[in-house]
Protein backbone atom coordinates (compact mmCIF):
# COMPACT_ATOMS: atom_id res chain seq x y z
CA UNK A 1 0.00 0.00 0.00
CA UNK A 2 1.27 3.46 -0.78
CA UNK A 3 2.51 4.98 2.51
CA UNK A 4 0.78 8.35 2.18
CA UNK A 5 -2.50 6.85 0.92
CA UNK A 6 -2.41 4.18 3.63
CA UNK A 7 -1.75 6.77 6.30
CA UNK A 8 -4.74 8.85 5.17
CA UNK A 9 -6.96 5.78 5.19
CA UNK A 10 -5.84 5.02 8.72
CA UNK A 11 -6.56 8.60 9.66
CA UNK A 12 -10.14 8.23 8.43
CA UNK A 13 -10.44 5.01 10.42
CA UNK A 14 -9.11 6.82 13.46
CA UNK A 15 -11.64 9.57 13.10
CA UNK A 16 -14.45 7.04 12.88
CA UNK A 17 -13.12 5.33 15.97
CA UNK A 18 -12.98 8.67 17.73
CA UNK A 19 -16.63 9.33 16.99
CA UNK A 20 -17.62 5.88 18.19
CA UNK A 21 -15.45 6.00 21.28
CA UNK A 22 -15.33 8.34 24.20
CA UNK A 23 -11.69 9.38 24.40
CA UNK A 24 -10.63 12.67 25.87
CA UNK A 25 -7.61 14.79 25.17
CA UNK A 26 -5.50 15.07 28.30
CA UNK A 27 -3.90 18.48 28.06
CA UNK A 28 -1.44 19.56 30.72
CA UNK A 29 -2.87 21.78 33.42
CA UNK A 30 0.10 24.08 33.80
CA UNK A 31 2.80 25.42 31.52
CA UNK A 32 5.58 23.83 33.55
CA UNK A 33 3.78 20.63 34.54
CA UNK A 34 5.42 17.25 33.94
CA UNK A 35 3.59 14.34 32.35
CA UNK A 36 0.07 13.69 33.58
CA UNK A 37 -0.53 11.28 36.42
CA UNK A 38 -2.43 8.98 34.09
CA UNK A 39 0.45 8.90 31.62
CA UNK A 40 2.94 8.24 34.39
CA UNK A 41 0.84 5.45 35.86
CA UNK A 42 0.54 3.76 32.50
CA UNK A 43 4.26 4.01 31.86
CA UNK A 44 5.18 2.88 35.35
CA UNK A 45 3.44 -0.44 34.89
CA UNK A 46 4.45 -1.08 31.29
CA UNK A 47 8.05 0.11 31.13
CA UNK A 48 9.74 -2.04 33.73
CA UNK A 49 12.74 -3.65 32.04
CA UNK A 50 12.09 -7.27 31.06
CA UNK A 51 14.32 -9.95 29.62
CA UNK A 52 14.76 -9.61 25.87
CA UNK A 53 12.89 -12.16 23.76
CA UNK A 54 14.93 -14.94 22.24
CA UNK A 55 13.31 -14.62 18.82
CA UNK A 56 12.00 -11.45 17.23
CA UNK A 57 10.18 -11.08 13.93
CA UNK A 58 10.73 -7.80 12.15
CA UNK A 59 7.72 -6.13 10.50
CA UNK A 60 6.86 -7.17 6.98
CA UNK A 61 5.82 -3.71 5.84
CA UNK A 62 5.96 -0.08 6.82
CA UNK A 63 3.47 0.99 9.51
CA UNK A 64 0.48 3.04 8.45
CA UNK A 65 -1.92 2.61 11.37
CA UNK A 66 -2.18 6.06 12.90
CA UNK A 67 -5.83 5.60 13.77
CA UNK A 68 -5.34 5.16 17.51
CA UNK A 69 -3.10 8.23 17.72
CA UNK A 70 -5.61 10.42 15.93
CA UNK A 71 -8.55 9.02 17.83
CA UNK A 72 -7.01 10.27 21.06
CA UNK A 73 -5.93 13.56 19.53
CA UNK A 74 -9.16 14.41 17.74
CA UNK A 75 -11.92 13.04 19.94
CA UNK A 76 -11.45 15.61 22.66
CA UNK A 77 -11.51 18.57 20.30
CA UNK A 78 -15.30 18.93 20.64
CA UNK A 79 -15.65 19.81 16.95
CA UNK A 80 -17.73 18.53 14.03
CA UNK A 81 -16.41 15.61 11.98
CA UNK A 82 -13.10 16.67 10.48
CA UNK A 83 -11.84 16.43 6.92
CA UNK A 84 -8.71 14.26 7.36
CA UNK A 85 -6.53 15.67 4.59
CA UNK A 86 -7.51 19.21 5.58
CA UNK A 87 -6.60 18.53 9.23
CA UNK A 88 -3.10 17.45 8.20
CA UNK A 89 -2.79 20.46 5.87
CA UNK A 90 -3.84 22.78 8.70
CA UNK A 91 -1.28 21.09 10.96
CA UNK A 92 1.39 21.82 8.35
CA UNK A 93 0.49 25.53 8.37
CA UNK A 94 0.75 25.55 12.15
CA UNK A 95 3.99 23.57 12.27
CA UNK A 96 5.92 26.34 10.51
CA UNK A 97 4.11 29.22 12.26
CA UNK A 98 6.41 31.01 14.71
CA UNK A 99 3.56 33.10 16.12
CA UNK A 100 2.45 30.04 18.08
CA UNK A 101 5.37 30.76 20.42
CA UNK A 102 5.16 33.36 23.16
CA UNK A 103 7.28 36.03 21.47
CA UNK A 104 6.79 34.85 17.88
CA UNK A 105 10.43 33.80 17.58
CA UNK A 106 10.21 30.06 16.94
CA UNK A 107 8.01 27.37 15.47
CA UNK A 108 7.86 23.59 15.75
CA UNK A 109 10.10 23.51 12.66
CA UNK A 110 12.79 25.44 14.55
CA UNK A 111 13.77 22.17 16.22
CA UNK A 112 12.11 19.68 13.87
CA UNK A 113 13.36 20.86 10.49
CA UNK A 114 12.11 18.81 7.50
CA UNK A 115 15.47 18.99 5.71
CA UNK A 116 17.12 17.54 8.81
CA UNK A 117 14.74 14.59 9.15
CA UNK A 118 12.44 16.60 11.41
CA UNK A 119 15.26 17.00 13.92
CA UNK A 120 17.88 19.76 14.09
CA UNK A 121 21.17 18.00 13.37
CA UNK A 122 22.70 19.25 16.63
CA UNK A 123 24.06 17.17 19.49
CA UNK A 124 21.97 19.11 22.02
CA UNK A 125 18.87 21.12 21.20
CA UNK A 126 18.06 24.74 21.91
CA UNK A 127 14.75 26.06 23.17
CA UNK A 128 12.96 29.33 23.80
CA UNK A 129 15.13 32.39 23.22
CA UNK A 130 17.76 29.99 21.89
CA UNK A 131 18.51 28.77 25.42
CA UNK A 132 20.59 25.59 25.57
CA UNK A 133 18.88 22.30 26.39
CA UNK A 134 20.36 19.10 27.80
CA UNK A 135 19.00 16.53 25.33
CA UNK A 136 19.16 15.78 21.63
CA UNK A 137 16.13 16.69 19.51
CA UNK A 138 14.32 13.45 18.56
CA UNK A 139 13.26 13.06 14.93
CA UNK A 140 9.56 12.88 14.06
CA UNK A 141 10.16 10.32 11.30
CA UNK A 142 8.10 7.19 11.89
CA UNK A 143 6.34 8.79 14.84
CA UNK A 144 3.12 6.89 14.06
CA UNK A 145 4.82 3.53 14.65
CA UNK A 146 6.25 4.35 18.09
CA UNK A 147 4.77 3.17 21.37
CA UNK A 148 6.59 5.62 23.66
CA UNK A 149 7.60 9.27 23.30
CA UNK A 150 10.50 11.35 24.64
CA UNK A 151 13.97 9.99 25.31
CA UNK A 152 12.96 8.92 28.82
CA UNK A 153 9.74 7.28 27.59
CA UNK A 154 7.47 9.23 29.91
CA UNK A 155 4.58 9.51 27.44
CA UNK A 156 2.70 6.68 25.70
CA UNK A 157 1.98 7.36 22.04
CA UNK A 158 -1.70 7.81 22.88
CA UNK A 159 -0.65 10.96 24.73
CA UNK A 160 0.85 12.61 21.65
CA UNK A 161 -1.57 15.51 22.16
CA UNK A 162 -0.14 15.99 25.66
CA UNK A 163 3.35 16.24 24.18
CA UNK A 164 2.19 18.85 21.67
CA UNK A 165 0.59 20.92 24.45
CA UNK A 166 3.73 20.70 26.58
CA UNK A 167 5.94 21.78 23.69
CA UNK A 168 3.67 24.78 23.03
CA UNK A 169 3.31 26.06 26.58
CA UNK A 170 6.53 25.01 28.31
CA UNK A 171 8.83 27.96 29.09
CA UNK A 172 11.70 25.77 27.91
CA UNK A 173 10.37 25.27 24.39
CA UNK A 174 7.80 27.76 23.01
CA UNK A 175 6.49 29.54 26.14
CA UNK A 176 3.02 30.16 24.69
CA UNK A 177 -0.41 30.74 26.19
CA UNK A 178 -3.27 28.50 25.02
CA UNK A 179 -5.83 31.27 24.61
CA UNK A 180 -3.39 33.55 22.83
CA UNK A 181 -2.49 30.75 20.40
CA UNK A 182 -6.15 30.26 19.47
CA UNK A 183 -6.71 34.00 19.10
CA UNK A 184 -3.64 34.45 16.91
CA UNK A 185 -4.89 31.68 14.62
CA UNK A 186 -8.26 33.44 14.43
CA UNK A 187 -6.60 36.75 13.57
CA UNK A 188 -4.39 35.40 10.75
CA UNK A 189 -6.60 34.90 7.65
CA UNK A 190 -4.62 32.05 6.01
CA UNK A 191 -4.63 30.10 9.28
CA UNK A 192 -8.31 30.78 9.91
CA UNK A 193 -9.14 29.61 6.39
CA UNK A 194 -7.07 26.44 6.90
CA UNK A 195 -8.94 25.86 10.17
CA UNK A 196 -12.28 26.23 8.43
CA UNK A 197 -11.30 23.83 5.67
CA UNK A 198 -10.52 21.25 8.35
CA UNK A 199 -13.31 21.83 10.85
CA UNK A 200 -15.99 23.81 9.04
CA UNK A 201 -16.75 27.49 8.42
CA UNK A 202 -19.04 27.82 11.43
CA UNK A 203 -16.41 26.74 13.95
CA UNK A 204 -14.02 28.95 15.89
CA UNK A 205 -10.36 28.03 16.45
CA UNK A 206 -9.74 26.25 19.74
CA UNK A 207 -6.53 25.02 21.31
CA UNK A 208 -7.77 21.41 21.22
CA UNK A 209 -8.34 21.56 17.46
CA UNK A 210 -4.97 23.24 16.94
CA UNK A 211 -3.22 20.58 19.02
CA UNK A 212 -5.04 17.79 17.15
CA UNK A 213 -3.92 19.19 13.79
CA UNK A 214 -0.31 19.51 14.93
CA UNK A 215 -0.40 15.93 16.23
CA UNK A 216 -1.84 14.70 12.93
CA UNK A 217 0.81 16.48 10.86
CA UNK A 218 3.64 15.35 13.15
CA UNK A 219 2.54 11.72 12.80
CA UNK A 220 2.43 11.88 9.00
CA UNK A 221 6.17 11.64 8.27
CA UNK A 222 8.46 8.70 7.66
CA UNK A 223 5.64 6.19 7.23
CA UNK A 224 6.57 5.20 3.69
CA UNK A 225 8.22 1.87 2.94
CA UNK A 226 11.98 1.63 3.05
CA UNK A 227 14.31 -0.93 1.51
CA UNK A 228 14.17 -3.17 4.59
CA UNK A 229 10.36 -3.21 4.51
CA UNK A 230 10.47 -4.24 0.86
CA UNK A 231 13.01 -6.97 1.59
CA UNK A 232 10.88 -8.33 4.44
CA UNK A 233 7.91 -8.35 2.06
CA UNK A 234 9.82 -10.58 -0.36
CA UNK A 235 11.69 -8.19 -2.66
CA UNK A 236 15.01 -9.97 -3.10
CA UNK A 237 16.57 -6.98 -4.86
CA UNK A 238 15.68 -4.36 -2.22
CA UNK A 239 18.90 -4.68 -0.21
CA UNK A 240 22.52 -4.77 -1.25
CA UNK A 241 24.51 -7.86 -0.35
CA UNK A 242 26.19 -5.93 2.48
CA UNK A 243 22.85 -4.73 3.86
CA UNK A 244 21.44 -8.29 3.67
CA UNK A 245 24.39 -9.45 5.74
CA UNK A 246 23.64 -6.62 8.16
CA UNK A 247 20.04 -7.82 8.44
CA UNK A 248 21.23 -11.32 9.30
CA UNK A 249 23.53 -9.89 11.97
CA UNK A 250 20.77 -7.59 13.25
CA UNK A 251 18.44 -10.55 13.80
CA UNK A 252 21.15 -13.01 14.80
CA UNK A 253 24.69 -12.65 16.12
CA UNK A 254 24.49 -8.95 17.03
CA UNK A 255 21.12 -9.41 18.77
CA UNK A 256 19.92 -5.91 17.83
CA UNK A 257 16.35 -7.11 17.21
CA UNK A 258 15.95 -8.10 20.84
CA UNK A 259 15.41 -4.42 21.62
CA UNK A 260 14.92 -2.90 18.17
CA UNK A 261 11.79 -4.83 17.21
CA UNK A 262 8.26 -4.15 16.01
CA UNK A 263 7.01 -1.62 13.49
CA UNK A 264 9.25 1.15 14.85
CA UNK A 265 12.24 -1.15 15.34
CA UNK A 266 11.89 -0.36 19.04
CA UNK A 267 10.53 -2.39 21.96
CA UNK A 268 9.48 0.86 23.67
CA UNK A 269 11.17 -0.27 26.90
CA UNK A 270 13.76 1.27 29.16
CA UNK A 271 17.38 0.18 28.97
CA UNK A 272 20.66 1.32 30.49
CA UNK A 273 23.49 1.60 27.95
CA UNK A 274 25.70 3.91 30.01
CA UNK A 275 26.20 6.37 27.18
CA UNK A 276 29.04 8.81 27.98
CA UNK A 277 27.91 12.13 29.45
CA UNK A 278 28.02 15.14 27.17
CA UNK A 279 30.39 17.58 28.95
CA UNK A 280 28.69 20.55 27.26
CA UNK A 281 25.69 20.13 29.61
CA UNK A 282 27.68 21.16 32.69
CA UNK A 283 29.94 23.52 30.74
CA UNK A 284 27.00 25.65 29.53
CA UNK A 285 25.08 27.29 32.42
CA UNK A 286 21.85 27.39 30.42
CA UNK A 287 21.98 23.67 29.76
CA UNK A 288 22.82 23.00 33.40
CA UNK A 289 19.84 25.08 34.52
CA UNK A 290 17.61 23.16 32.11
CA UNK A 291 18.79 19.87 33.57
CA UNK A 292 18.22 21.03 37.17
CA UNK A 293 14.78 22.38 36.27
CA UNK A 294 13.85 19.06 34.67
CA UNK A 295 14.64 17.22 37.90
CA UNK A 296 12.79 19.81 39.97
CA UNK A 297 9.52 19.79 38.02
CA UNK A 298 9.48 16.00 38.09
CA UNK A 299 9.71 15.96 41.88
CA UNK A 300 13.34 15.10 42.64
CA UNK A 301 14.07 15.23 46.38
CA UNK A 302 17.26 17.23 45.87
CA UNK A 303 17.27 18.52 42.29
CA UNK A 304 20.18 20.89 42.82
CA UNK A 305 22.48 17.94 43.52
CA UNK A 306 21.84 16.27 40.17
CA UNK A 307 24.86 16.39 37.89
CA UNK A 308 23.71 13.99 35.16
CA UNK A 309 20.63 13.22 33.09
CA UNK A 310 19.14 10.39 35.16
CA UNK A 311 16.80 9.26 32.39
CA UNK A 312 13.53 7.63 33.41
CA UNK A 313 14.33 7.85 37.12
CA UNK A 314 13.43 11.55 37.03
CA UNK A 315 9.75 10.69 36.55
CA UNK A 316 9.41 7.10 37.83
CA UNK A 317 11.40 7.92 41.01
CA UNK A 318 12.73 4.36 40.97
CA UNK A 319 16.43 3.94 41.68
CA UNK A 320 16.50 1.00 39.26
CA UNK A 321 15.55 3.37 36.41
CA UNK A 322 18.54 5.64 36.87
CA UNK A 323 20.32 5.96 33.54
CA UNK A 324 17.61 4.11 31.64
CA UNK A 325 16.24 5.54 28.40
CA UNK A 326 13.59 4.30 25.98
CA UNK A 327 14.80 2.36 22.95
CA UNK A 328 14.70 4.79 20.01
CA UNK A 329 13.05 3.99 16.70
CA UNK A 330 15.38 3.16 13.83
CA UNK A 331 13.12 4.37 11.01
CA UNK A 332 15.02 7.04 9.12
CA UNK A 333 18.02 6.58 11.44
CA UNK A 334 20.49 7.30 8.64
CA UNK A 335 19.25 10.90 8.52
CA UNK A 336 19.17 11.69 12.25
CA UNK A 337 22.79 12.08 13.37
CA UNK A 338 24.13 12.78 15.92
CA UNK A 339 22.87 9.90 18.04
CA UNK A 340 21.81 8.91 21.57
CA UNK A 341 19.88 11.03 24.07
CA UNK A 342 22.73 13.52 24.41
CA UNK A 343 24.16 13.45 20.90
CA UNK A 344 27.55 12.08 21.94
CA UNK A 345 27.89 9.61 19.05
CA UNK A 346 28.32 11.41 15.74
CA UNK A 347 27.90 8.59 13.21
CA UNK A 348 26.19 5.23 12.79
CA UNK A 349 29.64 3.63 12.71
CA UNK A 350 30.30 5.04 16.20
CA UNK A 351 26.92 3.73 17.40
CA UNK A 352 27.69 0.24 16.12
CA UNK A 353 31.18 0.36 17.68
CA UNK A 354 29.67 1.45 21.01
CA UNK A 355 27.24 -1.48 21.03
CA UNK A 356 29.94 -3.88 19.85
CA UNK A 357 32.04 -2.91 22.89
CA UNK A 358 29.10 -3.66 25.18
CA UNK A 359 28.20 -0.01 25.81
CA UNK A 360 29.65 1.98 28.67
CA UNK A 361 30.37 1.11 32.29
CA UNK A 362 27.41 -0.55 34.07
CA UNK A 363 25.67 -1.09 30.72
CA UNK A 364 23.12 -3.86 30.23
CA UNK A 365 24.79 -4.66 26.92
CA UNK A 366 27.37 -7.39 26.37
CA UNK A 367 30.28 -7.22 23.91
CA UNK A 368 29.31 -8.61 20.52
CA UNK A 369 32.68 -9.64 19.11
CA UNK A 370 32.03 -8.25 15.63
CA UNK A 371 34.80 -7.81 13.11
CA UNK A 372 35.22 -4.75 10.88
CA UNK A 373 33.30 -6.33 7.98
CA UNK A 374 30.36 -7.18 10.22
CA UNK A 375 30.26 -3.72 11.74
CA UNK A 376 30.21 -2.19 8.24
CA UNK A 377 27.38 -4.53 7.24
CA UNK A 378 25.30 -3.39 10.21
CA UNK A 379 25.84 0.24 9.21
CA UNK A 380 24.70 -0.60 5.67
CA UNK A 381 21.56 -2.22 7.06
CA UNK A 382 20.77 0.79 9.25
CA UNK A 383 21.22 3.12 6.29
CA UNK A 384 18.74 0.98 4.34
CA UNK A 385 16.11 1.88 6.94
CA UNK A 386 16.30 5.46 5.69
CA UNK A 387 14.61 6.28 2.37
CA UNK A 388 15.41 9.68 0.82
CA UNK A 389 13.85 12.59 2.67
CA UNK A 390 10.80 14.10 1.01
CA UNK A 391 11.09 17.79 0.23
CA UNK A 392 8.99 19.95 2.52
CA UNK A 393 9.00 23.74 2.38
CA UNK A 394 7.42 26.27 4.69
CA UNK A 395 4.06 27.69 3.56
CA UNK A 396 3.76 31.43 2.81
CA UNK A 397 3.50 33.76 5.80
CA UNK A 398 0.21 35.58 6.27
CA UNK A 399 -0.23 38.92 8.00
CA UNK A 400 -2.60 39.60 10.86
CA UNK A 401 -5.96 40.83 9.67
CA UNK A 402 -6.07 43.49 12.39
CA UNK A 403 -2.75 45.21 11.65
CA UNK A 404 -1.78 45.91 8.05
CA UNK A 405 1.67 44.57 7.26
CA UNK A 406 2.12 42.73 10.55
CA UNK A 407 4.23 39.59 10.23
CA UNK A 408 6.35 37.27 12.22
Amino acid sequence: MNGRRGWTAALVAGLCAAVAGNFAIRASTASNAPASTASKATASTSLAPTPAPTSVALPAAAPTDTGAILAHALAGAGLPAARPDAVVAFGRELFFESRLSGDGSRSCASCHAPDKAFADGEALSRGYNHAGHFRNTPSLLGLASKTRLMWDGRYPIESLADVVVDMLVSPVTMNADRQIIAERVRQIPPLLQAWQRAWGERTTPTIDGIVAALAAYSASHGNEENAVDRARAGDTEALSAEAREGLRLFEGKAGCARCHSGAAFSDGRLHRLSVPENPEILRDPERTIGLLRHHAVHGARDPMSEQIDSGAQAWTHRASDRGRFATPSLRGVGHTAPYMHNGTLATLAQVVDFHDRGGGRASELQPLGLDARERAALVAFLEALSPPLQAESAPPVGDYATVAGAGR
Side-chain angles (χ1 to χ4, degrees):
M1 178 183 291
N2 177 276
R4 174 69 63 173
R5 202 178 314 156
W7 182 86
T8 303
L11 170 58
V12 174
L15 291 169
C16 293
V19 173
N22 187 27
F23 300 112
I25 192 171
R26 296 191 302 271
S28 301
T29 57
S31 64
N32 62 348
S36 67
T37 303
S39 296
K40 283 188 176 183
T42 300
S44 179
T45 56
S46 65
L47 279 185
T50 59
T54 56
S55 177
V56 178
L58 295 182
T64 56
D65 183 12
T66 59
I69 299 173
L70 295 165
H72 283 266
L74 297 171
L79 294 162
R83 302 173 181 88
D85 288 339
V87 171
V88 176
F90 177 47
R92 175 176 175 270
E93 296 275 346
L94 296 168
F95 192 84
F96 292 93
E97 180 51 71
S98 63
R99 284 167 291 189
L100 297 190
S101 65
D103 65 355
S105 65
R106 61 191 294 103
S107 67
C108 303
S110 297
C111 288
H112 299 283
D115 63 347
K116 296 179 180 177
F118 288 90
D120 62 8
E122 302 293 333
L124 299 171
S125 65
R126 289 194 174 274
Y128 191 67
N129 284 332
H130 208 60
H133 192 50
F134 63 94
R135 282 186 183 160
N136 175 265
T137 298
S139 170
L140 300 183
L141 294 180
L143 181 64
S145 62
K146 295 182 180 180
T147 58
R148 308 296 311 183
L149 302 173
M150 315 300 278
W151 279 106
D152 54 20
R154 65 184 182 270
Y155 286 99
I157 187 60
E158 294 82 7
S159 294
L160 176 57
D162 291 347
V163 177
V164 173
V165 170
D166 281 356
M167 295 303 102
L168 290 172
V169 304
S170 170
V172 175
T173 47
M174 294 179 71
N175 198 33
D177 176 88
R178 293 180 177 88
Q179 292 179 320
I180 291 177
I181 288 174
E183 183 60 22
R184 285 177 176 175
V185 169
R186 191 178 74 85
Q187 295 287 353
I188 300 172
L191 293 184
L192 178 59
Q193 291 160 11
W195 166 278
Q196 292 172 337
R197 286 191 293 271
W199 304 108
E201 294 183 0
R202 297 185 178 182
T203 60
T204 300
T206 66
I207 188 61
D208 287 342
I210 290 166
V211 166
L214 279 168
Y217 177 76
S218 298
S220 69
H221 307 288
N223 300 315
E224 64 275 5
E225 286 185 337
N226 57 47
V228 176
D229 295 320
R230 295 194 297 275
R232 297 293 298 178
D235 183 349
T236 58
E237 303 298 322
L239 295 176
S240 67
E242 187 177 37
R244 285 197 299 272
E245 173 63 15
L247 172 57
R248 286 190 287 271
L249 290 163
F250 188 90
E251 294 179 301
K253 177 181 177 179
C256 311
R258 284 178 291 180
C259 296
H260 291 284
S261 58
F265 292 86
S266 166
D267 61 4
R269 294 183 178 276
L270 301 172
H271 298 283
R272 182 185 298 108
L273 307 188
S274 299
V275 175
E277 295 298 320
N278 189 325
E280 187 63 22
I281 296 173
L282 295 184
R283 187 180 297 135
D284 182 341
E286 289 181 344
R287 300 189 192 280
T288 305
I289 291 169
L291 175 65
L292 297 177
R293 177 190 179 278
H294 174 75
H295 285 290
V297 300
H298 286 284
R301 292 183 179 179
D302 185 14
M304 297 304 293
S305 68
E306 292 289 349
Q307 298 294 305
I308 65 169
D309 184 348
S310 64
Q313 186 197 29
W315 64 270
T316 67
H317 305 293
R318 293 193 298 244
S320 60
D321 284 335
R322 190 168 184 82
R324 294 188 191 276
F325 293 86
T327 304
S329 168
L330 296 183
R331 288 198 172 271
V333 69
H335 301 304
T336 60
Y339 301 100
M340 318 310 279
H341 67 276
N342 57 11
T344 51
L345 301 182
T347 65
L348 285 175
Q350 290 182 9
V351 173
V352 171
D353 288 347
F354 175 78
H355 284 74
D356 184 37
R357 295 194 303 270
R361 296 178 61 183
S363 170
E364 298 172 7
L365 301 175
Q366 297 296 322
L368 302 178
L370 302 175
D371 59 30
R373 180 187 59 80
E374 291 172 323
R375 291 194 297 272
L378 274 175
V379 171
F381 167 75
L382 293 172
E383 290 174 341
L385 286 165
S386 309
L389 294 175
Q390 298 182 3
E392 186 93 22
S393 58
V397 179
D399 291 334
Y400 282 107
T402 52
V403 181
R408 298 184 187 216

